[in-house]
Amino acid sequence: MTKQGLLLVLSGPSGVGKGTVKSAIVKNKVFPFEYSVSMTTRAPRPGEVDGRDYYFVTVAEFKAAIAQGNLLEYNQYVGNYYGTPVGPVKAMLAAGHDVLLEIDVNGAKKVREKMPDGVFIFLTPPDLHTLHLRLENRGTETEEVIRGRIEQASKEILVMQDYDYTVVNDTVANAVDHIKAIVEAEHVSVSRVIDSYRKMVKEN
Ligand code: 5GP
C-alpha cells in the first residue's frame, strides 16, 4: 500500500506573502510536492494563467461546484469566492504525494476540521506596518480594498493558536528554508512513521 502523502497547509493574513513564498517553493522545487490549484471568481491579475495560478470561474460555476460537493473548503473573501477542489487533493495524497495548499485562514480552519492530520503552517509578517506597505506596493488593489485587508489581517493574526507551526516571512528565502525544515521533520515524526514500522516488525 502506498504511504499517504502529507497535506501541507500554508496560511496566514492576506498580504503576508503566502503567494510569493508558495511561488518560491514551486519555482525552486524546494521539496517534492504537488500544488493544489484553487478555484476563484476574482479576475486574473496580469501574468496569471488559468489552470496554473487559479481556475478562474464565474459565480454560477463556483456555486455549482459547491452544490456538487466538489470543494474541500471555500471562502468568500473581499467580494470574491475562493475554494479548493477536493478530488485532486485526495487523489494526490492517496498516490503518496505531499500536497501544498495556500489558502486564507478561514479556509484553513475548515480543512483542519476535515483533515486534522495536515501540517498547518501560519506565515506571519514581521509587523503590521510591513503588511500595509506590501499591499500598497503591489499596486493592484484600491485603498478601500487595502483597508479591508488590513482589518482582516489584524483579526487573522490571532488565529495562530490553531496552527502547528509559525514561520516569520522576514525574507522569502528564510521563510522557504523554515518551511522546508518543517516538512522534513514531519516526514520523520514518529506519529507519522510508526505504523509502517509496526508493519515491518510484524512481517519479520
Ligand atoms: P489573492 O486574491 O491575493 O490571490 O488571494 C486572496 C486570498 O485568498 C489569499 O489570502 C489566498 O491565500 C486566499 N486563497 C487562495 N486560494 C484559496 C482557496 O482555495 N481557499 C481559500 N479559503 N482561500 C484561498
Side-chain angles (χ1 to χ4, degrees):
M1 202 181 92
T2 315
K3 196 164 161 277
Q4 197 47 28
L6 288 181
L7 178 67
L8 309 167
V9 182
L10 180 63
S11 191
S14 170
V16 72
K18 296 189 290 291
T20 313
V21 169
K22 175 212 82 187
S23 298
I25 294 172
V26 172
K27 192 166 150 246
N28 302 323
K29 300 195 174 68
V30 175
F31 47 85
F33 70 97
E34 300 283 342
Y35 178 67
S36 160
V37 179
S38 295
M39 191 181 274
T40 186
T41 58
R42 89 149 159 71
R45 294 193 185 118
E48 285 185 332
V49 176
D50 186 42
R52 184 194 70 186
D53 299 289
Y54 282 105
Y55 295 108
F56 296 100
V57 298
T58 62
V59 173
E61 286 167 331
F62 199 100
K63 287 189 172 163
I66 299 172
Q68 287 156 16
N70 290 344
L71 299 177
L72 173 61
E73 59 75 37
Y74 67 92
N75 191 37
Q76 223 178 345
Y77 179 79
V78 200
N80 288 302
Y81 282 106
Y82 295 83
T84 306
V86 67
V89 171
K90 295 220 160 148
M92 291 185 288
L93 289 173
H97 301 294
D98 291 353
V99 177
L100 179 67
L101 307 184
E102 181 250 302
I103 59 179
D104 82 310
V105 292
N106 295 305
K109 194 170 176 200
K110 289 178 215 155
V111 175
R112 177 122 235 180
E113 284 160 16
K114 290 190 183 167
M115 303 175 83
D117 279 355
V119 180
F120 290 77
I121 304 172
F122 191 84
L123 201 61
T124 64
D127 58 57
L128 275 179
H129 179 66
T130 316
L131 176 63
H132 199 161
L133 284 181
R134 278 191 193 154
L135 282 172
E136 267 180 359
N137 287 343
R138 192 157 76 189
T140 49
E141 268 82 24
T142 63
E143 255 305 313
E144 197 193 336
V145 171
I146 291 175
R147 240 178 291 121
R149 287 190 171 211
I150 293 281
E151 234 170 72
Q152 178 102 356
S154 310
K155 286 185 214 141
E156 286 176 347
I157 281 182
L158 300 175
V159 303
M160 186 196 283
Q161 61 198 3
D162 297 330
Y163 286 71
D164 302 307
Y165 297 97
T166 147
V167 169
V168 179
N169 190 18
D170 46 1
T171 69
V172 174
N174 278 347
V176 167
D177 279 352
H178 282 115
I179 293 169
K180 182 171 187 248
I182 290 166
V183 174
E184 285 171 352
E186 282 289 335
H187 270 287
V188 290
S189 118
V190 169
S191 62
R192 292 196 191 274
V193 299
I194 189 86
D195 283 348
S196 58
Y197 278 87
R198 280 202 182 108
K199 199 165 161 266
M200 208 190 296
V201 169
K202 219 169 137 193
E203 281 166 3
N204 263 326

